Amino acid sequence: MTGPHATLSRRRLLGLAAGGIAFGLAGAHPARAQAIYSQIYDAKKKVWVDYDPSRAKQYYKAYGSVPEEFRRQIVKFRTAEKPGTIIIDGDRHFLYLVLPDFQAVRYGIGVGRDGFGWAGIVRVGRKVEWPVWTPPPEMIARDPRSAQWANGMPGGPDNPLGARAMYLFEGNKDTIYRIHGTIEPWSIGLNISSGCIRLNNDDVTDLYARVALDAKVVVLMSGAALYRGV
């Protein structure tokens, strides 16, 4: 394992995944499926290694943070979208908040695992501090343990939605997708969620303070190229 300033710049395609789900959104589409995992450079062995959940946990335990590339930072970012827009690049595990003068705040994110990717243009329809978590019926069917919270788990440090949540709407309809915090900060940079976008609690609190209600959110299709513009 490398130190906390490991380079994290290469991604590897790991084949085709099952089609994503969109829960009936008209403007959002299942992500065309490529499962893309981050890689991290092991300077001692001089090889690229998969940044998978096991390695992510080891890294976080050793350094108390995710690798540097997934930490919040200001970056150059050319786009036709207005400042205040959120652009999500799930392939690279980044969320960008567009700033003036071709800059953006870049946050590391965890995204949907195989079969749970999606894409589309939505908006921030609701913002909540320490949100209640209510598992959808589909999740309860997959994981009966979540049934105990069918009527809602109160917000707090053990709540899977973390410190803040931004609820994504298409028009006036809640898509059931969220941008939210997490109780698993090591999971940033992984394909691990059921379709929601997760940030660590410090980052989601920062994003929450910056983002306006009704802000536009662009979720890119798998394989989309940001350098071509949005």
Side-chain angles (χ1 to χ4, degrees), residues 21-114:
I21 53 176
F23 292 95
L25 283 89
H29 306 282
R32 286 189 303 267
Q34 290 169 331
I36 299 181
Y37 289 86
S38 303
Q39 291 192 322
I40 189 167
Y41 189 69
D42 187 328
K44 292 182 179 179
K45 297 180 179 179
K46 297 182 179 180
V47 295
W48 291 88
V49 294
D50 289 342
Y51 189 66
D52 56 21
S54 176
R55 191 171 297 274
K57 290 178 182 178
Q58 292 172 9
Y59 192 102
Y60 197 88
K61 183 177 181 180
Y63 303 111
S65 70
V66 294
E68 185 173 3
E69 185 159 339
F70 294 132
R71 299 177 203 165
R72 182 171 75 242
Q73 54 195 283
I74 304 294
V75 297
K76 293 181 179 179
F77 190 75
R78 298 188 67 86
T79 178
E81 297 294 340
K82 296 179 180 179
T85 301
I86 292 172
I87 299 175
I88 295 170
D89 182 352
D91 278 4
R92 300 185 65 205
H93 303 93
F94 292 145
L95 180 152
Y96 298 87
L97 176 63
V98 179
L99 300 176
D101 302 321
F102 299 114
Q103 291 188 313
V105 186
R106 191 181 77 190
Y107 305 84
I109 58 175
V111 299
R113 60 187 181 272
D114 291 358

Side-chain angles (χ1 to χ4, degrees), residues 7-207:
T7 302
L8 206 82
S9 60
R10 196 170 76 170
R11 304 293 187 269
R12 186 174 68 181
L13 300 183
L14 296 181
L16 296 177
I21 53 176
F23 292 95
L25 283 89
H29 306 282
R32 286 189 303 267
Q34 290 169 331
I36 299 181
Y37 289 86
S38 303
Q39 291 192 322
I40 189 167
Y41 189 69
D42 187 328
K44 292 182 179 179
K45 297 180 179 179
K46 297 182 179 180
V47 295
W48 291 88
V49 294
D50 289 342
Y51 189 66
D52 56 21
S54 176
R55 191 171 297 274
K57 290 178 182 178
Q58 292 172 9
Y59 192 102
Y60 197 88
K61 183 177 181 180
Y63 303 111
S65 70
V66 294
E68 185 173 3
E69 185 159 339
F70 294 132
R71 299 177 203 165
R72 182 171 75 242
Q73 54 195 283
I74 304 294
V75 297
K76 293 181 179 179
F77 190 75
R78 298 188 67 86
T79 178
E81 297 294 340
K82 296 179 180 179
T85 301
I86 292 172
I87 299 175
I88 295 170
D89 182 352
D91 278 4
R92 300 185 65 205
H93 303 93
F94 292 145
L95 180 152
Y96 298 87
L97 176 63
V98 179
L99 300 176
D101 302 321
F102 299 114
Q103 291 188 313
V105 186
R106 191 181 77 190
Y107 305 84
I109 58 175
V111 299
R113 60 187 181 272
D114 291 358
F116 289 88
W118 63 283
I121 298 176
V122 289
R123 68 180 181 88
V124 176
R126 184 182 171 213
K127 297 173 61 179
V128 179
E129 298 184 14
W130 294 106
V132 172
W133 175 63
T134 304
E138 296 87 354
M139 179 176 289
I140 293 174
R142 293 193 307 270
D143 182 5
R145 294 173 298 178
S146 63
Q148 64 181 310
W149 305 116
N151 294 321
M153 179 182 185
D158 296 323
N159 189 299
L161 294 182
R164 303 287 186 273
M166 285 149 276
Y167 293 67
L168 302 181
F169 280 57
E170 185 186 30
N172 294 320
K173 182 180 178 182
D174 186 346
T175 67
I176 83 167
Y177 293 123
R178 319 281 184 244
I179 298 171
H180 62 79
T182 182
I183 56 176
E184 300 174 326
W186 54 267
S187 66
I188 302 306
L190 300 175
N191 298 1
I192 199 166
S193 78
S194 295
C196 289
I197 306 300
R198 64 171 67 177
L199 295 80
N200 69 47
N201 279 337
D202 286 345
D203 282 355
V204 80
T205 300
D206 181 85
L207 178 65

